[in-house]
Amino acid sequence: MSQLEHIINYPSYRAFQIPKKRGGYREILAPEEGLKELQKKLNHYLQAYYFWIKPDEVHGFVINALLTEDNCNIVANAERHTGKKAVLNIDLKDFFPRVTANRVFRLFSSEFFGFTRQMATVLALLTTYNGHLPTGAPSSPVLSNFICYQLDKELKAFSFLHGLSYSRYADDLTFSSKEHISTDLILDIINEIRKNDFAINEKKLRVRNAGRKQTVTGLTVNNKINVDRKLLKKIRAMLHDLSVNGPESAAKKHFKLNRQPSEGQKATFINRLKGYINFVRMVRGEKDPIYIKQQQLLYEVLKKNPT
């Protein structure tokens, strides 16, 4: 039996859970090294292809293979929804699990690729596990984008017809309008989504008018794109704790530990804080006074407490 046949017949994944922001856990299925390398190579090809055919409305899981960096991000995703009277947020439920092995097989057999039945079967087996896309496989994100191509096309046409702006970042769908978004319009959108074999998370469906805080993938968009005040407050608190109490105490408080943090946890705390500050730079710009102040404070604290 060849190595490829062994990987196809006996796929190996490591299952573990990570906490969700709003409680509960998400199961991650990480492929073993040999399978992971194959999926990475396939992902490179698929990303290069998808980049040239992707709708302008798609901003997540997209990589420009020529630049080897993210071409789209949450800022670009939020831009078209600024200053609108109404913003509608819809979250697709069980996004990867809804993409079955049969759907992936049909994708590789379709006009997008035109592979033979045998080749489409091999690729579907290499990229799915237990009958669906595994969360944790390098190839799953871009395949979900291909699967959503028809959905994006139909929602784009629907939005144009009804004077809406539409964008999608992974499983987050956003619609905005200069007018009120009616219940009938929302129900029509939900029907379009269900017609394409996706489900919505009803708990995360919300409409926000201009008088309330409107957010798109974590950014506020009422008048301009901005970082949520909660994150700025969190960064300020982390910097203050780090400055006053040092990295050990700050990490212990941040991770809510009842024991002293490990060196790894202290490093994770610092890296997370750096990531938050870099996020502010990405959204507000490197000349923004809030970002400059955060960066300066972090520099001064780390100078006193090198890690």
Side-chain angles (χ1 to χ4, degrees), residues 218-221 224-229 232 279 283-284 290:
L219 301 176
T220 58
V221 294
K224 64 178 182 178
I225 297 175
N226 206 349
V227 179
D228 194 303
R229 290 181 182 178
L232 295 177
F279 178 73
V283 177
R284 299 177 65 102
I290 291 179

Side-chain angles (χ1 to χ4, degrees), residues 223-240:
N223 299 309
K224 64 178 182 178
I225 297 175
N226 206 349
V227 179
D228 194 303
R229 290 181 182 178
K230 289 182 180 179
L231 179 59
L232 295 177
K233 186 177 180 180
K234 183 174 186 176
I235 294 172
R236 187 162 60 247
M238 290 174 72
L239 281 169
H240 176 78

Side-chain angles (χ1 to χ4, degrees), residues 3-13 31-32 34-36 38-39 42 99-109 115-134 137 139-140 143:
Q3 183 181 8
L4 179 59
E5 287 176 319
H6 181 80
I7 290 174
I8 290 173
N9 292 325
Y10 305 100
S12 179
Y13 287 81
E32 56 84 21
L35 177 56
K36 184 178 180 180
L38 285 174
Q39 291 173 343
L42 183 59
V99 181
T100 64
N102 187 44
R103 294 178 79 174
V104 175
F105 167 79
R106 294 201 308 267
L107 168 68
F108 284 125
S109 303
F115 291 139
T116 64
R117 183 178 182 85
Q118 182 180 20
M119 187 64 178
T121 299
V122 169
L123 291 172
L125 289 172
L126 282 173
T127 55
T128 62
Y129 184 64
N130 288 340
H132 58 77
L133 287 183
S139 50
S140 290
L143 284 173

